[in-house]
């Protein structure tokens, strides 16, 4: 079982949080902070597994994370998940984001957290892995987006297109936030 | 209308959308909270509008704010509104918001039931998908109950996209509504073979998740998973299955044997590291499960270790980490093979990655030996010095202690060294493990008598330098060791060189800053020391002044403790103070007091095992929960809880729990008082404030002048003289060993000279020092901890009662009862009554097809039975090949099932009754003694055994190990044979005995003694007479009594012994006994007789005489009781006439009559229960007043059981059916209630037997 999926940046700002068990908002924030502290103090070239923080079940759970450019992707899982499998899953997740957003960078996640949630929902459901095939995920996500578009008149689509093209790409933090998460050639 | 929409959308243009909100927050870095609160106000406004688009936009923003930590539960109702929008876009927003912030206590959730049901059945697959995804996050028990049926239907949806989601969410439904598991399971199982790989993967996922918690219920799926494992190419699925097998193998060693080969193949062939790693892991699990009693699979271990070494040596830190993790699993069972990689592991201790260092530490635990312990600990101590983080350092500390103390200090050869290590560890700053060190000190000092002198000396130094440790007064801080030090010095004060100075050290005013529980120990042990000082000095009358000075010292210093805020300290101190004052008086009168004072502390405390208290058996008839007096009122009991309980300061376990609370309270109270005082002082213009360094704590004390000025000797070196460094010991030890070795060599040489040739070979081995060569430095006697006399051996740790998975421990192999075949549907309220599906009237209304279905189900069941029957026939005809093929598929019933279940709404009938035996068969390519049926058959029909075994071999899958199978087989059968023979002999003897009795008188008094023999019950009390002969029929001429017994000779026979008694005074002859055969049971007639011919009773009866005749019946199914109608015809011959008479009777073949008393050894019994092949059931009998041994005797006698073991009011019993089913009972009794837990591999049979047992007891 996956207990939680967290994405935060190098400064600990949450970019997405998905908890598959209920916690209060305060606890959730504490877990994010705790996890950030555990993960961020680790060097780049150490292993990607560590025991979970006290708040999210302690040593019964494992944190499995990957660090891409400015973002940490952290999965908190219990013993039934394969460590290396989850690492692969994170990679699939990021690659899927990359396909859906075209050269995904932190900025995309900041402004379209709802879309990221929708993509994630096609991969993991209720803490269990639903689909690992990237093409299948993208097909389903695209089909739903298409449906969404078809529900609106041309008026709306104009509006939506406007609002989509607007955000951030001209912002102050452009350089930092627009580092593509995926380097073209991955090991 | 259109205008409204346009207007709404124009409105919306001016609203902030999510992107605007995010941008706004980013632009208001300084006053983010303020900005967000205005945004929330805006959102509240937006939510008040009618336009759903505006609402959806608002909810979307709320979801974002929720992520930032804002509570948005106030908008729950609006979220529900958005969820129920007809537009997918909004629906998705609503469900996302709900999945992020709804939980079980969200009250609006109950409004969503119908909406979700509607969405689930929506023609648009994405509506359904979004609803399923959302539901998976916030499903509640109510929702699970109400929607279980809808979701179950979706499991057979045409779109794989929906199917896989429906399958996955079932896991959540099971968790919240465990009753749904059994009805839904057959369909879930079907999905394992779904054509779509995604659905298949989801089903594997769910079953693995279920099986992980309650593996034994899923053993029967092993063949299916095995097939998947060998056929699937999806690594995700493979990993899951392989992990699942890892959980199953401990339950079924035969499975492990079967797995090893395919797994090794995978290890060799796969390129995916993740798969390789899981394979290695499962192979390890298999090896662990096989390690007992199986020949070594050294090749497999070698392969695993070798692969792991490759992982550990990899530059990828992840692989290194996992390699070490898996190594630690091997370590437990095969430490030798890991130890050869010690170099690699020690190397990992220096890794820059903390996670890897921690894993390596775990491994060290198993690497130590007497030889290298000191060396390894030395290395660790170096790491302790170097470590930066306190967590890692604490981890090192616990590891050092773990390593040293493991298996009762097995590897420690020199306890002086160990004590020094512990003392060195006390120098760690900021450690949380003071308590651990303290308990080690206490443990060693108490249990290793030889070390006490040394330990006391060390502790005295510690006490003397206590100020070095007291910097850290936090709980569990290092000052805890002073607790141990003080106690050791006090308790073993006879070993102290200078008790007086230690006493002085313990009474320094600084002590008052220590936590209360430590002070209490100080005070108490000061008194002990005082006693020692007195005793030491009274011998020499010249030193009488010293003794008096000591008393004065105590009298001077103790008042400080009398004022302590801690109750325990206060109480002890004032007691001792008064005592010392009294002693002083006596001393002034020159009275010898030493002896009396010493007597206060006489006697030695023995170490008590931590679990000892728990293990004291509760005496029979004592109910610990019962009130002794009437329960007091609420408030009173609360007070009682707060009152300090009698504390045993010296029992470490207890004190650990109680103490912290006191210190906390104290500190709080002190802080409060201090606050009040400070406020007072601040307001008092005449108060001259003290310098901050003065001892505040004593300021309000009465006897300030009593406090002597303590000279703090700042020049005390950190390395206290007399405090030996542990390193010294390492050197010493080495020297000692060298010497020992040399000595030994000398001896060896001598021996060699004597023995000539033999010695030469030994020369080769003497290179590496073997474990046995190392002798401990001094003879150490490690006292074992005391246990209560008749402690129960049970060592089970209770499971967490709140674990939701506990409710899912449901037997899935039992066929579904009619009432279970449908899920209860739709209730408005969580109503207990409605939970029972049978009474669910409303449910029937809503899903009428289900009701119809149940009739059909019955038919199915019948068919099933027929099928079973025909199968058994086949068995008899030895069509084994066909059967084997069926079983290999493990789903032999599946095609038939799908034929039957053309209606979607009802789950297919479970046909798993045969599954356990299927599993046996599947696994039986290497028969193991625990395979019940096989063994039974082999022994009972020796002539048939060979073809059976051969055919068993023939269907073995290609990857089996036939050689091994052959190896084990012959031994097995022969040993079984022997046992069986013995059993038979015994049985026959019994029968003879029985016969004798019966011939004399029917209501034999000997029955009692027989049952004693049966049940091995050795009670003096005579048992009431019992007889199994029951009245069959009676008229004025004749009386028939009968007893029905299973026949041992042939598998499916029942012998009916009938006693005919002539009641009239005429002669009865030509008796003919006839029974109307049923399909299942047939009277065995002589060859040539027609099926309706009667059997002639081979005797005539003179008046008043009785005689017994036996009739043999062949029976096919023994699962159900049977009734057979029969007639006895006879001729009554009087002097002048003869008349034909007849008597009708009904033979009742109870299930009990199919059972045969079979003795069973307790180990075989345990094995049988562990095998997991048996299904359970239970029974409760109320108001049974007879003594337990009578009860057992009754079960033994009437139901043909034998007692396997009896402990107190609990007994395990065993019996076997004529067809080889095992029936196991666990009978427990407690005041008039008897509970029987039963297990059998044939649940139908078991149910009926239990019913019959119940009947037996209701009659008496």
């Amino acid at each position: 079982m996956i207990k939680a999926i967290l994405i935060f940046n190098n400064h600990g700002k949450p970019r997405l949080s998905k908890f598959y068990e209920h916690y209060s908002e305060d606890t959730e924030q504490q877990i994010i902070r705790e996890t950030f502290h555990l993960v961020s103090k680790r060097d780049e070239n150490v292993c990607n597994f560590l025991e979970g923080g006290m708040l999210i079940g302690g040593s019964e759970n494992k944190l499995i994370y990957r660090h891409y450019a400015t973002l940490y992707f952290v999965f908190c899982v219990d013993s039934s998940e394969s460590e290396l499998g989850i690492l692969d899953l994170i990679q699939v997740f990021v690659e899927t984001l990359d396909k859906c957003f075209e050269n995904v960078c932190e900025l995309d996640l900041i402004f379209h957290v709802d879309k990221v949630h929708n993509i994630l929902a096609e991969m993991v459901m209720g803490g269990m892995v639903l689909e690992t095939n990237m093409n299948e995920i993208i097909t389903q996500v695209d089909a739903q987006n298409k449906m969404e578009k078809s529900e609106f008149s041309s008026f709306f689509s104009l509006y939506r297109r406007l609002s989509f093209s607007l955000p951030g790409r001209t912002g102050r933090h452009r350089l930092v936030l627009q580092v593509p998460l995926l380097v073209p050639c991955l090991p | 209308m259109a205008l409204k929409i346009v207007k709404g959308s124009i409105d919306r243009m001016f609203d902030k959308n999510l992107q605007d909100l995010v941008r706004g927050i980013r632009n208001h870095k300084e006053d983010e909270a303020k900005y967000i609160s205005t945004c929330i106000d805006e959102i509240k406004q937006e939510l008040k509008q009618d336009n759903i688009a505006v609402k959806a936009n608002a909810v979307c923003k709320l979801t974002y704010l929720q992520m930032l930590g804002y509570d948005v539960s106030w908008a729950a109702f609006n979220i529900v509104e958005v969820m129920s929008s007809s537009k997918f876009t909004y629906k998705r927003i609503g469900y996302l918001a709900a999945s992020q912030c709804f939980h079980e206590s969200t009250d609006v959730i109950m409004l969503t039931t119908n909406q979700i049901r509607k969405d689930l059945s929506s023609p648009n697959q994405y509506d359904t998908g979004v609803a399923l995804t959302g539901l998976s996050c916030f499903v509640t028990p109510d929702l699970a109950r109400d929607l279980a049926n809808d979701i179950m239907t979706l499991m057979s949806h045409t779109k794989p996209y929906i199917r896989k989601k429906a399958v996955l969410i079932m896991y959540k439904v099971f968790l919240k509504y465990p009753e749904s598991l059994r009805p839904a399971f057959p369909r879930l199982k079907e999905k394992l073979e779904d054509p779509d790989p995604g659905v298949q993967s989801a089903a594997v996922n769910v079953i693995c998740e279920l099986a992980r918690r309650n593996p034994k219920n899923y053993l029967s799926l092993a063949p299916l998973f095995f097939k998947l494992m060998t056929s699937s190419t999806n690594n995700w699925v493979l990993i899951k299955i392989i992990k699942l097998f890892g959980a199953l193998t401990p339950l079924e060693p035969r499975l492990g044997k079967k797995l090893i080969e395919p797994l090794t193949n995978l290890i060799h062939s796969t390129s995916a590291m993740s798969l390789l790693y899981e394979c290695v892991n499962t192979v390890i699990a298999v090896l662990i499960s096989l390690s007992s009693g199986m020949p070594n699979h050294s090749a497999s271990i070698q392969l695993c270790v070798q692969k792991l070494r490759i992982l550990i040596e990899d530059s990828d830190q992840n692989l290194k980490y996992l390699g070490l993790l898996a190594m630690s699993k091997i370590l437990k069972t095969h430490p030798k093979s890991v130890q050869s990689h010690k170099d690699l592991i020690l190397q990992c201790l220096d890794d820059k990655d903390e996670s890897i260092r921690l894993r390596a530490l775990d491994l060290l635990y198993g690497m130590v030996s007497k030889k290298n312990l000191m060396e390894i600990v030395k290395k660790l101590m170096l790491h302790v010095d170097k470590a930066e983080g306190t967590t890692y350092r604490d981890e090192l500390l616990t590891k050092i202690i773990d390593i040293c103390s493991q298996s009762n200090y097995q590897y420690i050869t020199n306890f002086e060294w160990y004590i020094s290590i512990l003392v060195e560890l006390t120098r760690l700053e900021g450690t949380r493990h003071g308590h651990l060190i303290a308990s080690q000190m206490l443990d060693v000092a108490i249990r290793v008598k030889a070390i006490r002198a040394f330990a006391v000396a060390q502790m005295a130094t510690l006490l003397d330098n206590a100020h070095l440790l007291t910097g850290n007064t936090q709980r569990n801080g290092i000052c805890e060791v002073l607790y141990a030090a003080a106690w050791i010095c006090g308790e073993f004060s006879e070993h102290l060189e200078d008790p007086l100075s230690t006493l002085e050290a313990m009474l320094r005013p600084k002590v008052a800053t220590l936590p209360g529980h430590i002070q209490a120990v100080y005070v108490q042990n000061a008194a002990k020391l005082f006693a020692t000082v007195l005793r030491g000095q009274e011998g020499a009358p010249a030193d009488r002044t010293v003794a008096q000075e000591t008393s004065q010292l105590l009298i001077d210093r103790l008042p400080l403790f009398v004022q302590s805020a801690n109750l325990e300290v206060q109480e002890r101190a004032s007691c001792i103070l008064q005592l010392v004052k009294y002693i002083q008086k006596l001393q002034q009168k020159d009275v010898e007091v030493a002896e009396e004072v010493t007597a206060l502390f006489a006697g030695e405390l023995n170490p008590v095992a931590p679990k000892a208290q728990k293990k004291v058996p509760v005496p029979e008839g004592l109910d610990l929960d019962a009130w002794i007096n009437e329960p007091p009122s609420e408030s009173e009991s609360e007070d009682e809880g707060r009152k300090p309980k009698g504390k045993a300061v010296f029992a470490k376990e207890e004190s650990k729990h109680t103490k912290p609370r006191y210190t906390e309270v104290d500190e709080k109270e002190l802080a409060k008082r201090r606050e009040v005082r400070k406020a007072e002082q601040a307001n008092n213009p005449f108060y001259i404030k003290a310098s901050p360094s003065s001892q505040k704590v004593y300021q309000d004390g009465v006897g300030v002048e009593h406090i002597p000025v303590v000279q703090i000797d700042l020049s005390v070196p950190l390395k206290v003289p007399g405090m030996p460094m542990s390193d010294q010991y390492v050197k010493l030890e080495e020297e000692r060993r060298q010497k020992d070795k040399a000595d030994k060599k000398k001896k060896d040489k001598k021996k060699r000279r004597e023995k000539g040739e033999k010695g030469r070979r030994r020369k080769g081995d003497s290179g590496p020092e073997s474990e046995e060569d190392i002798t401990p430095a001094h003879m150490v006697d490690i006292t074992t901890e005391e246990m209560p006399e008749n402690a129960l051996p049970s060592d089970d740790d209770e499971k967490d009662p709140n674990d939701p998975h506990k409710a899912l421990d449901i037997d899935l192999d039992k066929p579904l009862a009619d009432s279970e075949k449908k899920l209860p549907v739709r209730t408005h309220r969580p109503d207990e009554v409605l939970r029972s599906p049978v009474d669910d009237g409303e449910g029937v209304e809503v899903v009428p097809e289900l009701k119809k279905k149940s009739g059909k189900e019955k038919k199915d069941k019948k068919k099933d039975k027929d099928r079973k029957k025909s199968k058994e026939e086949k068995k008899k005809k030895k069509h084994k090949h066909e059967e084997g093929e069926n079983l290999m598929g493990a789903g032999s019933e599946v095609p038939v099932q799908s034929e039957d279940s053309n209606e979607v709404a009802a789950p297919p009938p479970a046909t798993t009754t045969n599954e356990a035996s299927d599993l046996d068969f599947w696994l039986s390519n290497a028969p193991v003694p625990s395979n019940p049926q096989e063994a039974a058959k082999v022994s009972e029909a020796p002539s048939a055994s060979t073809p059976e075994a051969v055919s068993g071999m023939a269907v073995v899958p290609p990857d089996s190990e036939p050689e091994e199978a052959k190896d084990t087989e012959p031994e097995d059968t022969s040993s079984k044979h022997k046992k069986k023979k013995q059993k038979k002999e015994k049985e026959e003897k019994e029968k003879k005995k029985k016969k004798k009795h019966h011939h004399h008188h029917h209501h034999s008094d000997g029955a009692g003694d027989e049952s004693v023999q049966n049940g091995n019950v050795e009670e003096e009390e005579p048992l009431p007479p019992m007889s199994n002969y029951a009245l069959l029929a009676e008229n004025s001429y004749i009386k028939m009594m009968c007893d029905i017994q299973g026949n041992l000779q042939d598998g499916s026979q029942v012998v009916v012994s009938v006693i005919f008694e002539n009641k009239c005074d005429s002669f009865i002859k030509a008796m003919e006994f006839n029974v109307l055969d049923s399909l299942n049971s047939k009277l065995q007639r002589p060859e040539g007789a027609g099926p309706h011919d009667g059997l002639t009773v081979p005797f005539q009866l003179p008046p008043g005489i009785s005689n017994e005749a036996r009739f043999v019946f062949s029976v096919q199914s023994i699962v159900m009781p049977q009734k057979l109608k029969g007639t006895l015809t006879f001729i009554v011959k009087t002097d002048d006439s003869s008349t034909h008479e007849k008597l009708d009777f009904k033979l009742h073949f109870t299930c009990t009559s199919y059972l045969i008393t079979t003795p069973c050894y307790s180990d075989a019994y345990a094995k049988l229960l562990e095998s997991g092949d048996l299904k359970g059931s239970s029974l409760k009998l109320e108001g049974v007043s007879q003594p337990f041994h009578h009860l057992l005797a009754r079960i033994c006698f009437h139901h043909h059981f034998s007692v396997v073991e009896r402990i107190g009011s609990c007994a395990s019993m065993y019996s076997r059916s004529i067809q080889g089913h095992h029936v196991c009972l666990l009978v427990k009794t407690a005041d008039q209630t008897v509970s029987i837990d039963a297990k059998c591999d044939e649940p139908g049979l078991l149910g009926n037997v239990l019913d019959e047992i119940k009947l037996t007891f209701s009659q008496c």
Side-chain angles (χ1 to χ4, degrees), chain B residues 448-603:
Chain B
V448 187
K449 286 187 178 142
I451 203 67
R452 281 181 191 164
F454 181 80
V456 164
Q458 291 295 304
M459 295 304 120
T461 342
L462 261 186
L463 285 179
D464 201 31
N465 297 289
H467 56 277
L468 297 178
L469 306 174
T470 47
N472 182 357
T473 42
Q474 91 193 64
R475 211 176 0 145
N476 254 346
I478 203 66
C479 63
E480 284 288 333
V481 297
L482 293 176
Y483 174 92
W487 189 83
I488 291 170
C489 283
E491 184 66 20
F492 307 119
S493 51
E494 68 269 22
H495 297 292
L496 269 178
E497 272 179 19
D498 187 3
L500 188 54
S501 65
T502 308
L503 178 61
E504 201 273 334
M506 276 168 68
L507 292 170
R508 287 179 195 155
K510 195 99 205 246
V511 172
T513 59
L514 290 172
H517 66 282
I518 299 179
Q519 286 185 52
V521 173
Y522 263 70
V523 171
Q524 181 75 11
N525 285 287
K528 290 185 198 166
L529 281 176
F530 176 58
T532 316
V533 172
L534 285 186
R535 200 180 40 193
Q537 279 158 357
E538 257 174 15
D543 284 341
R544 194 160 289 161
T545 45
V546 182
Q548 287 185 8
E549 272 166 27
T550 316
S551 311
Q552 191 54 49
L553 177 75
L554 278 165
I555 291 168
D556 287 347
R557 306 275 176 95
L558 279 176
L560 173 65
F561 297 101
V562 174
Q563 294 152 21
S564 169
N566 187 298
L567 224 119
E568 181 77 22
V569 181
Q570 211 182 78
E571 201 172 351
R572 283 176 189 273
S574 57
C575 261
I576 291 166
L577 183 62
Q578 289 314 310
L579 189 73
V580 174
K581 278 183 182 162
Y582 179 65
I583 290 169
Q584 198 183 30
K585 261 186 215 160
L586 290 177
Q587 277 174 337
Q588 280 157 2
K589 290 180 197 157
D590 278 351
V591 181
E592 297 257 316
V593 283
E595 214 160 288
E596 273 115 41
V597 178
T598 321
L600 284 175
F601 307 106

Side-chain angles (χ1 to χ4, degrees), chain B residues 131-233:
Chain B
L132 284 173
T133 308
L135 188 62
S136 74
C137 290
F138 58 77
V139 61
T140 62
D142 284 351
L143 280 178
R145 193 191 56 231
D146 296 346
L147 296 171
N149 247 322
D150 303 71
I151 298 169
M152 237 162 83
T153 318
L154 289 179
M155 278 164 81
S156 315
H157 200 271
T158 50
K159 296 241 168 56
Y161 178 75
I162 298 302
R163 283 209 301 275
K164 69 181 179 192
K165 288 198 167 193
V167 168
L168 267 196
I169 203 178
M170 276 320 277
Y171 177 66
K172 296 277 176 167
V173 173
F174 295 151
L175 275 187
K176 301 287 177 190
Y177 181 45
E179 289 89 332
S180 62
L181 178 56
R182 272 172 55 78
F185 194 72
R187 187 168 304 185
L188 183 61
K189 211 171 103 187
E190 259 171 47
K191 295 298 150 203
L192 284 176
E193 295 179 295
D194 197 279
D196 184 84
V199 182
Q200 205 184 32
S201 160
V204 169
N205 220 333
V206 171
I207 292 185
C208 288
E209 206 52 59
L210 290 168
R212 199 164 64 91
R213 312 295 184 145
N214 301 300
K216 64 175 191 309
N217 299 340
Y218 299 86
L219 254 181
S220 58
L221 291 181
L224 189 52
F225 275 117
F226 191 84
K227 209 176 90 190
L228 278 178
M229 183 177 81
T230 42
S231 61
S232 175
T233 50

Side-chain angles (χ1 to χ4, degrees), chain A residues 17-18 22 29 42 46-48 78-80 111 118 122 126 129 131-132 140 147-148 151 167 177, chain B residues 19 23 26 67 69 88-89 92 99-100 103 124 126 161 164 172 205 212 236 243 318 353 355:
Chain A
S17 67
K18 181 89 207 165
H22 174 69
Q29 293 303 307
R42 295 172 67 84
V46 299
C47 75
N48 299 47
D78 69 11
S79 64
S80 74
F111 285 103
N118 294 337
E122 295 303 321
V129 178
E131 186 59 69
T132 53
Q140 301 299 347
M147 224 175 86
E148 197 174 303
E151 282 181 352
L177 298 177
Chain B
Q19 281 78 33
R23 201 175 305 114
R26 295 171 63 77
M67 182 182 82
F88 172 72
T89 317
R92 184 155 79 163
S99 75
Q100 292 293 88
H103 50 92
N124 181 343
Y126 292 113
Y161 178 75
K164 69 181 179 192
K172 296 277 176 167
N205 220 333
R212 199 164 64 91
W236 267 97
K243 267 184 165 280
N318 291 330
D353 188 347
S355 306

Side-chain angles (χ1 to χ4, degrees), chain B residues 749-779:
Chain B
K749 261 182 200 167
K750 263 185 211 164
K751 267 186 204 163
R752 216 174 296 159
R753 256 180 245 138
E754 283 159 19
K755 294 191 178 173
E757 274 303 299
K758 265 186 189 172
R760 205 162 293 168
R761 225 191 287 153
R762 197 183 283 177
K763 205 178 177 183
D765 320 321
S766 63
E769 207 174 352
S770 70
E771 278 287 279
E772 295 79 49
D773 287 346
I774 302 169
T775 48
H778 25 72
M779 276 323 286

